[in-house]
Amino acid sequence: MDPKALKYSPTHEWVHLDGDIATVGLSKFAVDQLTDLIVIDLPPVGKTLVAGKSFGEVESVKSVNDLYAPVAGEVVAVNDAVAANLQILAEHPFDEGWLIKVKVDSTTLPADLLDFDVYEKKIADEAH
Amino acid sequence: MYKLDTPPLLFESSRPGRSTSIFPTSDVPTKPLATLMPATALADGPPPLPELGELDVVRHYMALSTLNMSIDSNFYPLGSCTMKYNPKRNERLAALPGLGAQHPYQDESTLQGLLEILYDVQSMLGEIAGLPAVSLQPAAGAQGELTALLVAAAHFRDLGLKRTQVLIPDSAHGTNPASAHLAGFDAVTIKSDARGLVDLDDFKSKLGDLTAVFMMTNPNTVGLFDPQIAEIARLLHDRGALLYLDGANMNAILGAVRPGDMGVDLMHYNPHKTFSGPHGGGGPGAGPIAVRADLGKYLPAPVVARDADGTYRLDHDRPRSIGRVRAFFGNVGVLFRAYCYIRTHGPEGLKNVSRHAVLNANYLLSLVKHVYPVPCGDRCMHEFVASARSLARDRGVRAMDIAKRLIDFNFHAPTIYFPLIVSEALMIEPTETESRETLETFAAALLAIAAEDPAMLHDAPHSTTISRADEVKAAKSPVLVWKPAHAASTPSENGRSKSNRAAPSVA
């Protein structure tokens, strides 16, 4: 997926909306910050997500971090391949490394999600 | 720098029949084993224990002991942990039979000396806190947090108020939200502002009628004293909520300011950080708490009381108490060391402890900040959080690499990647017990490392038995049990590869 076409949460999750299905992943910046990944906890299919609330956890050698739902809805698919092999997430966070697919409650994305340019600027500011 | 060979395991050093046991000649008649025990009770063979001479064993453990890094052998600037030097004298005193040989089931009349000491510890901790009601029971800082939050919960229950939330800054120790959760509250995160202090707007927006407690660490984990604390206390008290102080950083403010005077209602101490309790090692620890006078009735029972005639006793008659949180009187050995430490220094001495801790941290900060920027200000309290992010961006050298390389310079690493609000964080706390020369040598090492070859740094440390461990493998598939088959598949002596060895040792 083209990172420029995605929306980003301030907590570094990305969203791609196709119809009423949102694909959710973790940005390359976040993955790089985490360094070596150890384990990821993803929700089961059927789980209802609340926007802004934790839907899972990712643990690296540095820290354990919550994954926050950028959209509200129901989990319709989980990327089991990533859970089994975190190298996929580390190397391809925007493609094969997607985490979950969500059937969204509303096809209007929350207003706090950022465009690529704004997100890039935000993380550049954080890096200084 | 020299390099040690990996010492062989005891099992690998074993040779059949080797032993130094010398048994006296038996003076009872011997009988075949089968005539003494039924066959079903007998093992098929002897247990697979290593056979070694006593000298083999002594050298083995002696060699292992030299691989340790400790405050007795190395500078240990582990931020937030206050790894100060603990005077050996306090250890010696704590081992005196008059203390160490007491039994908690003894009659109180025979424990008057111990009870007096504990009573004095209560009084002194209450005085330093500016909060007069003290419980010595909690066995660690985190249990102190939990106990204090249970006291707060009892307070709100008695008032008939439904208070479900505990507010916690994003720079807080991880124990804060854990304690809130265990005590039955929901943890609500409060953001830090650009200065590294509590974001007052975010705080105000989350403070409400459900707020029970705000858990504040002051100075906070980026080493800054939050001057907004009086305002925060006022806002909380206006809403009927309580202010909790995580006392992890008391080493910065002893005698300079009393938490109670800042509006704090409850707090815990970490004697292993502040008052010469043994550092880490899995305990025993202590996490005494001090609370406002009117909250004292909820403290765990018993507390040590003093009667008008000077007799000390355990006061069990506390009907509003939340109950016991620890057997007997808490971990007396740790509390006694705190007693020795506080009495030795006295009020003026404790102020000097904090002054020197703050001075040392600021001096070290000034020596390294041009290479390791300190995002949250040029001045600090007892610790500071430097960032390796410019090194990471420009040279691919991360906080982890620097921490590992410091081992080659005979320094323990600082805390890294905490607090989470600073990227590539190096959290450095030199403490008051280090000399100027040590601080300068450490700063020189940090500066030297920043200029070293990144590829070499990625593989550091180079001087240790185990170099860079595979932490992912160690976490995901640790090898915790040595099996003979493992040895048989590799050559004898020190045949195991470094990577095989690295994984279990860090797990």
Side-chain angles (χ1 to χ4, degrees), chain A residues 48-69:
Chain A
T48 304
L49 302 187
V50 180
K53 296 284 181 194
S54 170
F55 72 85
E57 265 181 10
V58 58
E59 180 174 351
S60 75
V61 296
K62 269 169 68 169
S63 60
V64 182
N65 290 69
D66 277 312
L67 301 164
Y68 294 99

Side-chain angles (χ1 to χ4, degrees), chain B residues 248-261:
Chain B
N249 293 341
M250 280 303 286
N251 214 49
I253 58 170
L254 289 173
V257 60
R258 298 186 300 183
D261 296 344

Side-chain angles (χ1 to χ4, degrees), chain A residues 61 87 120:
Chain A
V61 296
Q87 205 55 31
E120 282 281 289

